[in-house]
Amino acid sequence: GEDVEQSLFLSVREGDSSVINCTYTDSSSTYLYWYKQEPGAGLQLLTYIFSNMDMKQDQRLTVLLNKKDKHLSLRIADTQTGDSAIYFCAELRSYNTDKLIFGTGTRLQVFP
Amino acid sequence: DTEVTQTPKHLVMGMTNKKSLKCEQHMGHRAMYWYKQKAKKPPELMFVYSYEKLSINESVPSRFSPECPNSSLLNLHLHALQPEDSALYLCASSRSGGGNTEAFFGQGTRLTVV
């Protein structure tokens, strides 16, 4: 189908690692992204990975890509209360024009 | 500068009003997008402009009319909206075609139709 799937909710203790998962649909997608959205705000681009990579690390963020299974994950190390937000994965489908399709979103709640 | 600026931040309009949402970027991006986001849902693509030409219209009702007057500006003209059109409207931009295509989003316009 067309949907990019994510689990709805994740709750972690401050200082632990968080892992947010995403299953996308289009094997020809060139880029895959992670966005963060805080309440009432727009989308903040956190990181992205090109489809020929299997891992990318950016400070506390690690992105893993399993292209065979069309599975993407975002690991946040040392999760802080300020990381509480909704996280969206997105896939870039490039045919005649770039089209960014978002996952269903995962609400991350960090408790002390 | 990786900023996409949207105005206004909030808008309340009646069903007979005509209003416009504005979006501006100065990153030299040639692709610009309008997304609609309902509460607790992911953003849904409405329109894509590439090199100032409309390239994707995701079957959006004609009461929404996009316009791209130049490579830095994107407007969304609103007329005769319905209460169910109330949502957060997000603008985004990216380099069009090939290479690194990070898409940057504005903070959105929260629209309420009464």
Side-chain angles (χ1 to χ4, degrees):
Chain A
E2 285 279 312
D3 291 344
V4 180
E5 299 287 344
Q6 297 178 239
S7 50
L8 277 180
F9 189 75
L10 176 65
S11 180
V12 299
R13 189 180 299 277
E14 192 174 18
D16 287 352
S17 293
S18 309
V19 179
I20 302 171
N21 295 303
C22 169
T23 303
Y24 62 99
T25 58
D26 191 337
S27 57
S28 63
S29 290
T30 51
Y31 287 89
L32 296 134
Y33 302 81
W34 284 103
Y35 284 87
K36 175 184 179 183
Q37 187 174 37
E38 297 185 57
L43 293 161
Q44 177 193 352
L45 177 63
L46 291 177
T47 187
Y48 64 93
I49 189 166
F50 188 47
S51 58
N52 69 353
M53 299 167 67
D54 51 22
M55 188 183 94
K56 180 178 179 182
Q57 187 153 0
D58 185 358
Q59 298 182 345
R60 290 192 298 126
L61 305 178
T62 303
V63 179
L64 295 178
L65 175 60
N66 180 329
K67 202 172 173 187
K68 174 175 161 291
D69 294 336
K70 296 199 279 287
H71 184 262
L72 181 73
S73 68
L74 175 69
R75 178 175 179 271
I76 306 173
D78 186 25
T79 313
Q80 303 297 306
T81 54
D83 295 324
S84 294
I86 299 178
Y87 290 79
F88 291 99
C89 64
E91 59 172 336
L92 185 69
R93 299 179 188 171
S94 297
Y95 299 112
N96 296 321
T97 304
D98 293 343
K99 196 168 165 179
L100 196 60
I101 304 298
F102 285 85
T104 46
T106 299
R107 179 175 295 278
L108 173 65
Q109 184 173 359
V110 182
F111 58 93
Chain B
D1 178 12
T2 57
E3 195 170 322
V4 177
T5 304
Q6 288 187 244
T7 54
K9 288 188 170 41
H10 301 274
L11 178 63
V12 179
M13 62 185 289
M15 289 188 282
T16 58
N17 290 161
K18 283 186 184 181
K19 296 285 184 185
S20 297
L21 309 186
K22 295 187 183 303
C23 175
E24 190 168 0
Q25 57 87 14
H26 296 286
M27 293 178 275
H29 288 171
R30 301 311 294 272
M32 295 186 78
Y33 312 78
W34 281 115
Y35 282 82
K36 175 182 176 180
Q37 187 179 25
K38 300 284 276 184
K40 300 189 193 315
K41 296 289 186 186
E44 295 176 358
L45 183 65
M46 299 174 74
F47 301 105
V48 180
Y49 272 83
S50 181
Y51 292 88
E52 294 97 73
K53 290 192 183 348
L54 183 65
S55 57
I56 293 181
N57 176 340
E58 292 286 281
S59 303
V60 179
S62 59
R63 58 186 184 269
F64 295 91
S65 174
E67 179 199 17
C68 189
N70 62 54
S71 60
S72 299
L73 294 174
L74 184 67
N75 298 323
L76 186 63
H77 303 298
L78 314 172
H79 173 55
L81 294 195
Q82 303 297 309
E84 59 265 29
D85 297 322
S86 298
L88 181 67
Y89 287 84
L90 293 162
C91 172
S93 72
S94 70
R95 271 197 274 159
S96 181
N100 182 335
T101 54
E102 295 172 68
F104 295 94
F105 281 78
Q107 290 298 300
T109 294
R110 188 161 298 282
L111 174 68
T112 304
V113 182
V114 297

